[in-house]
Amino acid sequence: MAQHDLLIVGAGPVGLSLALALKDSGLAIALADTRPRDAVAADPRALALAHGSRLTLERLGVWNDLPATPIRHIHVSQQGGFGRTRLEADDYGVPALGYVVQAGALAAALRDAVECAGITVMDQTEVTSLNSNSDSVTASLAGTGATIHGTAAGARLVACAEGGLLAGTPDIVERDYGQHALIANVGIAGKHRETAFERFTSEGPIALLPHGDEYALVHVASPQRATELLALPDAAYREHLQRRFGSRVQLARVTGRLRYPLVLRYRRDPVGPRTVWLGNAAQTLHPVAGQGFNLALRDVWALARTLLDYRGDPGLAGTLAAWRDARRLDRFGAINFTDSLVRIFSNDFVPLHHARGAALFALDMLPPLRHFIARRMMFGARAWP
Ligand SMILES: Cc1cc2nc3c(=O)[nH]c(=O)nc-3n(C[C@H](O)[C@H](O)[C@H](O)COP(=O)(O)OP(=O)(O)OC[C@H]3O[C@@H](n4cnc5c(N)ncnc54)[C@H](O)[C@@H]3O)c2cc1C
């Protein structure tokens, strides 16, 4: 049975980022992924990455060749109500508030860099169970990869970045939002001028993120409404969106609609015996504030720093607890911030509608509050003074 210092379950963007962050650590690292090598590169979602994520991806050496569209202005409003706010990159002395990249392109760049670093990735290798004892964890492997790599692997630390939480896993908080996200590419008449729109409507929030020459759309609606919207021909759907957005932006065409069910699901404790959980496997968030991958990358970077600081056996309980404790504020802050946004802005209760307008107005009028929120989205808990 092969022995590793660190076995990473899942070679999605989060698992690959961890491997890369530890490439010079001297640890013997391997990744296992159920899917074939190129599957991650097919992810069509557009990810809004915070300025802080850009800095981390630069350190990982994958930023420079990654096609990324800067967001310099963010316009937040609600349909049918007063109140709006704008966030401007210039106010924070950063080149952009964030960047939009294609999730598949990011994963492909990470994968190439992991291979360049000589780290083993076992493709088509599913980890079917983990059994830990005081010294190590044994992972059972299945799939065509197991015929090459063996049906079991040992590791001193296992990082679970497999993207989902198994139903019935203990210590999980779960809430089905009763919402689905439609994503699509939206062509526009004219230029987007690096402006992102977040618009809260009675159907749910709609985000337009500048991506290349177009916009990437994330349109949240009830599952039934999502089914109806998916059934509309492209042109009719474009008209529907245009009505929701008003005259701020002229939409020319919509292509490539896909849907994702939305839940909040997280582990109260992302640490177990010689095991950590990262990314969607630790917390799956609503995309309303674009926090999921950004938070995961901060967790990954902090874990890598902790393992480098403590050296020695990477699976020691004290080392993993130090990481968990250091990440608690940012982690629960991002989970609660995202969940609060969904609750406040997905409710069409009339007094709340007015309160939302007042909140957006207040944000516009109160620079310190606006700056706090902007910094939180860019840097996570480091936004706290
Ligand atoms: C519509 C939408 C929009 C989003 N927008 C944003 C955004 O703007 N900004 C942002 O920061 N985040 C956003 N997110 C969240 C972001 O997509 C996730 O945080 C990110 O994709 C999580 O990556 P991951 O590596 O944890 O999981 P995944 O990408 O799911 O990767 C998990 C990998 O593990 C493998 N695997 C699964 N089970 C096993 C097993 N048993 N053994 C071995 N391998 C296994 C899978 O094959 C897969 O390759 C959005 C999410 C959605 C749904």
Side-chain angles (χ1 to χ4, degrees):
M1 180 171 75
Q3 294 291 338
H4 311 283
D5 293 317
L6 171 62
L7 174 66
I8 302 174
V9 184
V14 173
L16 291 165
S17 299
L18 178 64
L20 210 48
L22 286 166
K23 74 177 168 53
D24 298 322
S25 63
L27 295 173
I29 302 170
L31 298 98
D33 199 293
T34 312
R35 298 188 293 169
R37 184 197 183 283
D38 294 326
V40 286
D43 189 338
R45 277 174 292 180
L47 294 182
L49 299 183
H51 180 71
S53 293
R54 171 193 169 151
L55 300 181
T56 303
L57 293 172
E58 278 175 356
R59 289 186 200 115
L60 295 182
V62 294
W63 179 259
N64 286 348
D65 294 331
L66 194 63
T69 309
I71 303 174
R72 293 191 210 281
H73 324 277
I74 301 179
H75 186 284
V76 188
S77 63
Q78 68 170 337
Q79 189 189 21
F82 78 106
R84 61 127 186 94
T85 196
R86 275 183 78 98
L87 303 176
E88 301 288 345
D90 285 352
D91 290 345
Y92 307 97
V94 288
L97 292 160
Y99 299 85
V100 182
V101 302
Q102 196 217 324
L106 171 64
L110 289 164
R111 172 74 191 231
D112 288 348
V114 160
E115 286 175 359
C116 264
I119 297 170
T120 304
V121 186
M122 300 181 274
D123 292 312
Q124 299 183 70
T125 306
E126 182 182 5
V127 175
T128 53
S129 68
L130 296 170
N131 290 298
S132 52
N133 61 38
S134 57
D135 299 324
S136 69
V137 184
T138 302
S140 302
L141 308 179
T144 49
T147 58
I148 305 162
H149 303 288
T151 53
R156 293 198 292 170
L157 172 64
V158 172
C160 295
E162 76 273 20
L165 296 173
L166 299 178
T169 312
D171 202 29
I172 293 228
V173 176
E174 181 158 5
R175 180 174 315 123
D176 186 343
Y177 284 121
Q179 295 180 336
H180 284 189
L182 297 187
I183 64 161
N185 302 313
V186 179
I188 46 170
K191 297 195 183 308
H192 53 57
R193 299 182 202 287
E194 295 158 346
T195 303
F197 292 95
E198 182 89 44
R199 182 125 166 105
F200 295 100
T201 77
S202 55
E203 232 164 51
I206 309 180
L208 283 177
L209 305 170
H211 189 209
D213 294 333
E214 300 193 324
Y215 272 111
L217 169 80
V218 183
H219 182 170
V220 176
S222 70
Q224 190 196 334
R225 187 72 187 125
T227 304
E228 292 162 8
L229 293 171
L230 268 176
L232 289 177
D234 284 344
Y237 179 64
R238 184 199 63 74
E239 280 168 27
H240 173 79
L241 266 187
Q242 187 71 69
R243 279 195 299 277
R244 297 266 149 187
F245 259 91
S247 57
R248 276 184 191 85
V249 49
Q250 292 306 314
L251 311 179
R253 68 197 160 275
V254 178
T255 54
R257 272 175 286 161
L258 289 172
R259 100 159 68 191
Y260 294 82
L262 302 179
V263 291
L264 167 67
R265 215 189 283 126
Y266 64 93
R267 265 172 205 277
R268 283 198 185 85
D269 188 351
V271 168
R274 292 190 171 275
T275 312
V276 293
W277 282 269
L278 293 162
N280 274 6
Q283 64 272 321
T284 302
L285 306 182
H286 193 291
V288 64
Q291 294 278 298
F293 181 71
N294 290 298
L295 171 64
L297 201 54
R298 298 198 292 272
D299 284 341
V300 159
W301 187 253
L303 178 62
R305 303 319 303 164
T306 306
L307 296 180
L308 289 169
D309 284 349
Y310 283 73
R311 294 282 169 180
D313 181 349
L316 291 180
T319 311
L320 303 183
W323 168 73
R324 174 192 52 211
D325 294 346
R327 294 298 303 144
R328 196 187 311 270
L329 174 66
D330 188 23
R331 180 168 185 255
F332 285 103
I335 291 171
N336 292 329
F337 174 64
T338 300
D339 189 42
S340 306
L341 273 185
V342 180
R343 285 162 181 265
I344 295 170
F345 285 102
S346 298
N347 191 324
D348 220 27
F349 183 50
V350 171
L352 204 56
H353 188 79
H354 293 313
R356 274 196 303 256
L360 289 176
F361 182 69
L363 268 184
D364 212 44
M365 300 309 290
L366 295 173
L369 184 59
R370 191 170 72 244
H371 294 185
F372 169 74
I373 291 192
R375 291 189 59 78
R376 172 154 230 344
M377 295 186 74
M378 285 190 284
F379 298 113
R382 280 190 287 144
W384 291 95

mmCIF file of all heavy atoms in Angstrom, residues 143-159:
data_model
loop_
_atom_site.group_PDB
_atom_site.id
_atom_site.type_symbol
_atom_site.label_atom_id
_atom_site.label_comp_id
_atom_site.label_asym_id
_atom_site.label_seq_id
_atom_site.Cartn_x
_atom_site.Cartn_y
_atom_site.Cartn_z
ATOM 1 N N GLY A 143 -12.500 2.231 -8.748
ATOM 2 C CA GLY A 143 -12.465 2.854 -10.078
ATOM 3 C C GLY A 143 -11.292 2.333 -10.876
ATOM 4 O O GLY A 143 -10.445 1.599 -10.361
ATOM 5 N N THR A 144 -11.241 2.782 -12.148
ATOM 6 C CA THR A 144 -10.182 2.237 -13.003
ATOM 7 C C THR A 144 -8.796 2.626 -12.488
ATOM 8 O O THR A 144 -7.825 1.893 -12.670
ATOM 9 C CB THR A 144 -10.341 2.705 -14.467
ATOM 10 O OG1 THR A 144 -10.531 4.111 -14.451
ATOM 11 C CG2 THR A 144 -11.506 2.061 -15.151
ATOM 12 N N GLY A 145 -8.695 3.790 -11.801
ATOM 13 C CA GLY A 145 -7.408 4.213 -11.263
ATOM 14 C C GLY A 145 -6.882 3.249 -10.216
ATOM 15 O O GLY A 145 -5.655 3.114 -10.052
ATOM 16 N N ALA A 146 -7.786 2.589 -9.501
ATOM 17 C CA ALA A 146 -7.343 1.681 -8.432
ATOM 18 C C ALA A 146 -6.606 0.470 -8.993
ATOM 19 O O ALA A 146 -5.792 -0.135 -8.298
ATOM 20 C CB ALA A 146 -8.552 1.237 -7.603
ATOM 21 N N THR A 147 -6.891 0.144 -10.258
ATOM 22 C CA THR A 147 -6.166 -0.989 -10.851
ATOM 23 C C THR A 147 -4.694 -0.613 -11.082
ATOM 24 O O THR A 147 -3.833 -1.472 -11.147
ATOM 25 C CB THR A 147 -6.812 -1.432 -12.194
ATOM 26 O OG1 THR A 147 -6.797 -0.294 -13.063
ATOM 27 C CG2 THR A 147 -8.226 -1.925 -11.997
ATOM 28 N N ILE A 148 -4.418 0.695 -11.192
ATOM 29 C CA ILE A 148 -3.033 1.152 -11.360
ATOM 30 C C ILE A 148 -2.397 1.462 -10.002
ATOM 31 O O ILE A 148 -1.273 1.080 -9.720
ATOM 32 C CB ILE A 148 -2.992 2.434 -12.232
ATOM 33 C CG1 ILE A 148 -3.688 2.198 -13.562
ATOM 34 C CG2 ILE A 148 -1.558 2.920 -12.438
ATOM 35 C CD1 ILE A 148 -4.068 3.487 -14.285
ATOM 36 N N HIS A 149 -3.145 2.169 -9.160
ATOM 37 C CA HIS A 149 -2.560 2.697 -7.920
ATOM 38 C C HIS A 149 -2.793 1.797 -6.706
ATOM 39 O O HIS A 149 -2.287 2.081 -5.630
ATOM 40 C CB HIS A 149 -3.132 4.092 -7.636
ATOM 41 C CG HIS A 149 -2.915 5.071 -8.755
ATOM 42 N ND1 HIS A 149 -1.678 5.600 -9.043
ATOM 43 C CD2 HIS A 149 -3.762 5.581 -9.691
ATOM 44 C CE1 HIS A 149 -1.779 6.413 -10.091
ATOM 45 N NE2 HIS A 149 -3.034 6.413 -10.503
ATOM 46 N N GLY A 150 -3.584 0.754 -6.862
ATOM 47 C CA GLY A 150 -3.894 -0.131 -5.729
ATOM 48 C C GLY A 150 -5.239 0.224 -5.112
ATOM 49 O O GLY A 150 -5.773 1.317 -5.342
ATOM 50 N N THR A 151 -5.775 -0.667 -4.318
ATOM 51 C CA THR A 151 -7.129 -0.467 -3.774
ATOM 52 C C THR A 151 -7.102 0.220 -2.411
ATOM 53 O O THR A 151 -8.158 0.409 -1.796
ATOM 54 C CB THR A 151 -7.874 -1.810 -3.654
ATOM 55 O OG1 THR A 151 -7.034 -2.702 -2.900
ATOM 56 C CG2 THR A 151 -8.169 -2.408 -5.021
ATOM 57 N N ALA A 152 -5.927 0.594 -1.942
ATOM 58 C CA ALA A 152 -5.849 1.331 -0.675
ATOM 59 C C ALA A 152 -4.611 2.223 -0.687
ATOM 60 O O ALA A 152 -3.641 1.959 -1.401
ATOM 61 C CB ALA A 152 -5.785 0.371 0.506
ATOM 62 N N ALA A 153 -4.674 3.320 0.078
ATOM 63 C CA ALA A 153 -3.510 4.210 0.240
ATOM 64 C C ALA A 153 -3.505 4.691 1.685
ATOM 65 O O ALA A 153 -4.576 4.905 2.283
ATOM 66 C CB ALA A 153 -3.611 5.397 -0.718
ATOM 67 N N GLY A 154 -2.312 4.860 2.245
ATOM 68 C CA GLY A 154 -2.201 5.362 3.617
ATOM 69 C C GLY A 154 -1.711 6.800 3.607
ATOM 70 O O GLY A 154 -1.004 7.220 2.678
ATOM 71 N N ALA A 155 -2.111 7.584 4.618
ATOM 72 C CA ALA A 155 -1.640 8.976 4.706
ATOM 73 C C ALA A 155 -1.631 9.410 6.162
ATOM 74 O O ALA A 155 -2.438 8.947 6.964
ATOM 75 C CB ALA A 155 -2.554 9.889 3.901
ATOM 76 N N ARG A 156 -0.711 10.323 6.486
ATOM 77 C CA ARG A 156 -0.701 10.858 7.852
ATOM 78 C C ARG A 156 -1.780 11.925 8.016
ATOM 79 O O ARG A 156 -2.274 12.168 9.100
ATOM 80 C CB ARG A 156 0.682 11.419 8.177
ATOM 81 C CG ARG A 156 1.725 10.289 8.233
ATOM 82 C CD ARG A 156 2.977 10.708 8.944
ATOM 83 N NE ARG A 156 3.724 11.707 8.194
ATOM 84 C CZ ARG A 156 4.753 12.382 8.685
ATOM 85 N NH1 ARG A 156 5.141 12.182 9.926
ATOM 86 N NH2 ARG A 156 5.398 13.248 7.932
ATOM 87 N N LEU A 157 -2.124 12.566 6.899
ATOM 88 C CA LEU A 157 -3.219 13.550 6.910
ATOM 89 C C LEU A 157 -4.029 13.372 5.630
ATOM 90 O O LEU A 157 -3.446 13.216 4.551
ATOM 91 C CB LEU A 157 -2.655 14.977 6.970
ATOM 92 C CG LEU A 157 -3.669 16.122 6.802
ATOM 93 C CD1 LEU A 157 -4.685 16.131 7.945
ATOM 94 C CD2 LEU A 157 -2.944 17.469 6.740
ATOM 95 N N VAL A 158 -5.357 13.395 5.759
ATOM 96 C CA VAL A 158 -6.223 13.390 4.574
ATOM 97 C C VAL A 158 -6.972 14.722 4.525
ATOM 98 O O VAL A 158 -7.557 15.149 5.529
ATOM 99 C CB VAL A 158 -7.233 12.219 4.613
ATOM 100 C CG1 VAL A 158 -8.250 12.360 3.484
ATOM 101 C CG2 VAL A 158 -6.504 10.891 4.490
ATOM 102 N N ALA A 159 -6.913 15.400 3.372
ATOM 103 C CA ALA A 159 -7.703 16.624 3.166
ATOM 104 C C ALA A 159 -8.857 16.264 2.240
ATOM 105 O O ALA A 159 -8.638 15.867 1.094
ATOM 106 C CB ALA A 159 -6.826 17.711 2.550
#
